[in-house]
Amino acid sequence: MGGYRNFCNKLWNAARFVLMKLETSANTDGPGAIELSSADRWIRSRLGDTLSKVDAAFAEYRFDFAATALYEFTWYEFCDWYLELVKPVLDGEQVSARRGARATLLLVLEALLRALHPLMPFITEEIWQRIAPLAGRAGPSIMLAPWPRAADYERDAAAESELKWLTQMVLGVRQIRGEMDISPARRLPLLLLNASSTDIQLAASNAALLTRLAGLESVRPLAAGEPPPPAASAVIGELTLLVPMAGLVDAAAELERLGKSLRKIQQEIARARAKLDNENFVRSAPAAVVTQEQERLADFQARLAGLERQLTQVRKLGNP
C-alpha cells in the first residue's frame, strides 16, 4: 500500500509543478510560435509507445500489464526525467522553447490522466478538472472524455535515441559519484574516452543539460593520443566516461575506505559460495531461493570487480 500512496503523491506533486510553471510562463509568454526540444519530442514519443502497450494489455484483460506500463511511464519517464529536463527550458530565455515545453507538459499530463483514470478514478478526476481547461479540453468530467489514442503521439526514433544517450551519460556520472562517495554538490570535470563523432556532437548539443543533470563543470573528449589520467570510470557501449581523481579525493583516505568495502564484499562472496557449495542447501532449498543466492553472488562479484578497478586508479594517484 505504501508504494501506491507514494505513486499518488508523485503524480499529485508533478501536477502541482506543471500548474505552477504554466501559470508563471503563461503570464509572460503569451501565444505565438512554439519550438519543441528533443526532450519534448521524446516524452511525446514515449507516451505514444506507452498507450500502445496499455491498449494491448486491456485487449487481453491484463490489467496488471496496463498498470505497470502507466506506472513506469509516469514515475520514471515523465516525473524523474522529463520534468527535470524541462526545468532549464522553462527557466530559460528562449520564448518559443518555453511555449513548446508548456504545450508538451499540458498535452502529456492531460492525456496521461485520461489513461490512468480507469485505475485511479478519484485523484485523476481532481487533477483533470484543473488541467483540462488549460489544455483546451471541455467536458464536465474526465469520465466523459475520450480515451487517448496512441496514434496521436507519433514515435520519434531520433529523439528517443538522443535521450537514451543523455540519460545513460547522466546515470554513468551518478554511478561514479556513488562508487567514489563524491558529494552531489561537487562539480566534476568529465572526459570522454573513445568518443565517436556522434558522441561528440551529442555532448556539444546537450552540454547545458549534461552540466545541470550530472553536476559537471566541463565535458570534453580526449584528444587523439592523449593519455587518460588516473580516473574513476563508467562504460556506455564503446564510450568510457572518465572523472579525473587528482585533487578530487584524498588517496590515503580513499584507499582505506575502499579497502574496508572490499573486505566486506569478500566476506559476502565467501558466505554465498559456502551456501552454493553445500549440496544439502542446493538440493533441499526451493529453486527460487537457490536462484536468489546465485544472483546475490553474481552481484557481489560485479561489485568486487568495480572496487578493484577503483583501487587500481586510486593507487596511481600516489604512484603516477
Side-chain angles (χ1 to χ4, degrees):
M1 294 299 293
Y4 301 135
R5 181 177 63 250
N6 292 339
F7 181 77
C8 290
N9 287 338
K10 190 89 166 178
L11 180 64
W12 185 265
N13 288 332
R16 287 180 58 194
F17 168 82
V18 172
L19 287 167
M20 178 185 67
K21 288 297 183 181
L22 291 177
E23 291 170 359
T24 301
S25 56
N27 291 335
T28 57
D29 295 346
I34 70 171
E35 177 182 342
L36 297 181
S37 67
S38 56
D40 296 328
R41 290 163 34 224
W42 169 76
I43 198 64
R44 290 169 183 241
S45 179
R46 297 306 305 147
L47 174 61
D49 180 69
T50 299
L51 291 174
S52 294
K53 292 176 180 175
V54 172
D55 288 341
F58 278 147
E60 297 177 1
Y61 300 98
R62 291 307 307 261
F63 305 119
D64 53 337
F65 288 177
T68 297
L70 287 167
Y71 178 97
E72 291 180 349
F73 173 82
T74 304
W75 191 292
Y76 302 115
E77 295 180 316
F78 185 66
C79 294
D80 281 359
W81 281 110
Y82 180 66
L83 295 187
E84 290 303 315
L85 290 164
V86 82
K87 284 177 182 177
V89 179
L90 292 170
D91 294 336
E93 298 180 356
Q94 192 171 351
V95 176
S96 60
R98 289 203 303 264
R99 292 194 190 105
R102 188 171 71 241
T104 301
L105 282 168
L106 266 175
L107 180 82
V108 173
L109 179 57
E110 192 276 330
L112 177 59
L113 291 169
R114 283 184 281 141
L116 283 167
H117 182 67
L119 305 172
M120 304 169 60
F122 301 111
I123 190 172
T124 51
E125 179 75 66
E126 178 69 22
I127 298 173
W128 189 83
Q129 291 293 337
R130 305 182 190 189
I131 291 291
L134 299 174
R137 180 72 62 179
S141 171
I142 192 174
M143 289 187 291
L144 303 177
W147 179 253
R149 299 192 315 150
D152 292 339
Y153 311 95
E154 294 184 7
R155 297 297 300 275
D156 190 323
E160 292 206 26
S161 177
E162 180 172 351
L163 266 293
K164 180 180 180 181
W165 179 91
L166 177 63
T167 55
Q168 286 179 330
M169 289 281 288
V170 173
L171 291 173
V173 175
R174 290 176 180 174
Q175 173 191 322
I176 291 172
R177 285 186 186 275
E179 291 177 347
M180 301 303 296
D181 197 26
I182 300 171
S183 166
R186 180 73 179 267
R187 293 282 174 176
L188 303 176
L190 182 65
L191 302 176
L192 308 181
L193 176 64
N194 299 327
S196 66
S197 57
T198 300
D199 292 325
I200 294 171
Q201 183 270 319
L202 288 173
S205 60
N206 290 282
L209 282 174
L210 274 175
T211 299
R212 180 185 178 110
L213 295 178
L216 303 177
E217 66 178 23
S218 62
V219 184
R220 74 172 180 87
L222 285 174
E226 180 182 357
S233 64
V235 178
I236 303 173
E238 299 297 320
L239 176 65
T240 300
L241 311 184
L242 300 175
V243 173
M245 290 189 292
L248 190 63
V249 298
D250 180 321
E254 188 64 13
L255 283 172
E256 182 178 356
R257 185 186 72 82
L258 290 173
K260 289 180 180 178
S261 298
L262 191 74
R263 289 189 290 273
K264 287 182 180 178
I265 293 294
Q266 288 171 334
Q267 291 171 359
E268 294 293 344
I269 288 175
R271 291 191 190 100
R273 279 182 175 157
K275 278 189 177 181
L276 293 171
D277 289 342
N278 185 331
E279 293 183 4
N280 289 332
F281 170 77
V282 175
R283 185 172 55 252
S284 60
V289 174
V290 175
T291 299
Q292 183 181 42
E293 198 63 31
Q294 290 169 337
E295 291 173 351
R296 288 183 71 249
L297 177 59
D299 178 60
F300 287 136
Q301 289 172 329
R303 290 163 62 184
L304 178 65
L307 286 170
E308 288 173 340
R309 287 195 300 270
Q310 292 173 49
L311 278 167
T312 299
Q313 294 299 317
V314 174
R315 289 188 184 110
K316 291 180 181 178
L317 291 177
N319 300 281

